[in-house]
Amino acid sequence: MEINIRARTGLVSDFGVFDRVVSTGGSGHVELLKRAGAFLTYSSFCPPDDLADRGLLGVKSCFYTQDALGLWKIISRYVAGIVSLHYETDDSVKEDLELQTWCREITEVWLLGAQDRGFPVSLQSKHQLCHFVTMCIFTCTGQHSSSHLGQVLITLDWYAWVPNAPCTMRLPPPTTKDVTLEVVMATLPNFHQASLQMSITWQLGRRQPIMVALGQHEEEYFSGPEPKAVLKKFREELAALDKDIEIRNAKLDLPYEYQQPSLVENSVAI
């Protein structure tokens, strides 16, 4: 919640960083978010469906596909294990009024009426519950990591070198090769804009010393041997996936680490 509040008050607010230095400033970024939101469907939040829709399931060179599916399956098995301890039948899911209210609030309130994009307003079975909860967990962990770690792991190499990824262009991009240095400098962000870009990317991208990896929380949310056994299995499967990714990445010139479990935050945190 803290990073969201800071973003709303300092990044995307009126006269915030986006307004001052990013080319989509002046409310352009708000319009961009509105348009993008219309394409966010329930299936787009679920890798098995989303990757199939985009034709990426059979692309071996797409490491996002491999890691996202692996992480999704592990989270799904963990969720199913916990859910089975608390709900014996589909009817027990339907009759949980607090659960139904939680689901409806997410779809109707926080997603601004997203039932027309496939999000459920009620949960009618254990399978549907598991799928919905898996989606929530994956979105806040693996999916967030797949975009956020792009800032963390490549900030100094790609974003902090402003000409490589300028936050704004003050002139149209050159169309010929006979461009002078003066034109290039007049096109790139000015000193103030470049300084803010470097500062913001460092703030958003630096690693946190108190980072908690997925599944490694110290809080005991469930007591008793059964849920503890499910959590133990979850952690073992995460460790196995982490090792597999590490072995694969050792053979790559540019490792893909964005969904490696040991680097994925246990929740959205920066």
Side-chain angles (χ1 to χ4, degrees):
M1 288 188 288
E2 180 184 4
I3 188 61
N4 285 343
I5 291 173
R6 289 191 179 191
R8 290 171 180 170
T9 57
L11 286 178
V12 299
S13 59
D14 290 340
F15 306 109
V17 172
F18 272 66
D19 271 1
R20 286 184 288 164
V21 304
V22 180
S23 57
T24 55
S27 301
H29 53 285
V30 177
E31 180 62 28
L32 184 64
L33 288 172
K34 287 180 180 178
R35 295 186 183 186
F39 294 94
L40 293 178
T41 63
Y42 188 31
S43 62
S44 71
F45 278 75
C46 306
D49 302 322
D50 179 50
L51 293 168
D53 291 343
R54 294 195 282 148
L56 292 172
L57 288 180
V59 182
K60 295 182 179 180
S61 60
C62 182
F63 302 126
Y64 168 83
T65 295
Q66 299 175 25
D67 298 351
L69 288 178
L71 196 56
W72 172 275
K73 291 176 182 177
I74 291 174
I75 294 173
S76 180
R77 286 192 288 270
Y78 169 67
V79 170
I82 294 296
V83 166
S84 66
L85 296 176
H86 295 81
Y87 297 92
E88 295 183 357
T89 65
D90 291 344
D91 286 339
S92 62
V93 171
K94 297 177 186 178
E95 294 167 1
D96 189 332
L97 297 181
E98 186 176 5
L99 178 67
Q100 300 300 335
T101 300
W102 171 73
C103 174
R104 185 171 60 254
E105 182 180 39
I106 289 177
T107 298
E108 293 186 344
V109 179
W110 303 117
L111 292 177
L112 304 177
Q115 56 265 44
D116 60 338
R117 287 178 272 133
F119 287 88
V121 292
S122 64
L123 301 168
Q124 300 299 308
S125 67
K126 291 173 61 177
H127 174 75
Q128 191 179 13
L129 168 60
C130 289
H131 193 75
F132 189 74
V133 173
T134 299
M135 178 275 295
C136 291
I137 295 176
F138 179 82
T139 299
C140 296
T141 57
Q143 190 61 45
H144 176 258
S145 175
S146 69
S147 57
H148 173 61
L149 283 185
Q151 298 178 109
V152 176
L153 300 179
I154 61 177
T155 291
L156 294 179
D157 290 339
W158 293 5
Y159 292 144
W161 172 236
V162 176
N164 191 60
C167 59
T168 190
M169 300 285 279
R170 293 182 291 151
L171 293 175
T175 58
T176 62
K177 295 293 185 179
D178 57 342
V179 179
T180 64
L181 179 60
E182 288 73 17
V183 172
V184 171
M185 296 305 295
T187 302
L188 292 173
N190 60 33
F191 180 82
H192 173 68
Q193 293 167 327
S195 298
L196 273 177
Q197 175 178 332
M198 295 172 67
S199 174
I200 290 300
T201 52
W202 181 82
Q203 289 286 348
L204 295 178
R206 61 195 176 99
R207 291 184 181 276
Q208 299 298 320
I210 57 173
M211 177 265 196
V212 178
L214 175 61
Q216 307 307 314
H217 48 277
E218 295 183 359
E219 299 87 351
E220 292 192 6
Y221 297 111
F222 303 103
S223 59
E226 294 87 357
K228 288 184 177 180
V230 175
L231 178 59
K232 181 175 181 293
K233 181 65 175 177
F234 179 48
R235 289 173 171 172
E236 290 173 350
E237 292 189 358
L238 289 173
L241 177 61
D242 196 90
K243 186 64 176 179
D244 290 343
I245 293 176
E246 185 178 319
I247 293 173
R248 180 201 68 200
N249 284 345
K251 304 173 185 177
L252 303 176
D253 293 331
L254 184 61
Y256 183 80
E257 303 174 326
Y258 298 170
Q259 292 187 91
Q260 189 168 346
S262 60
L263 299 177
V264 174
E265 290 267 6
N266 195 57
S267 182
V268 173
I270 300 177

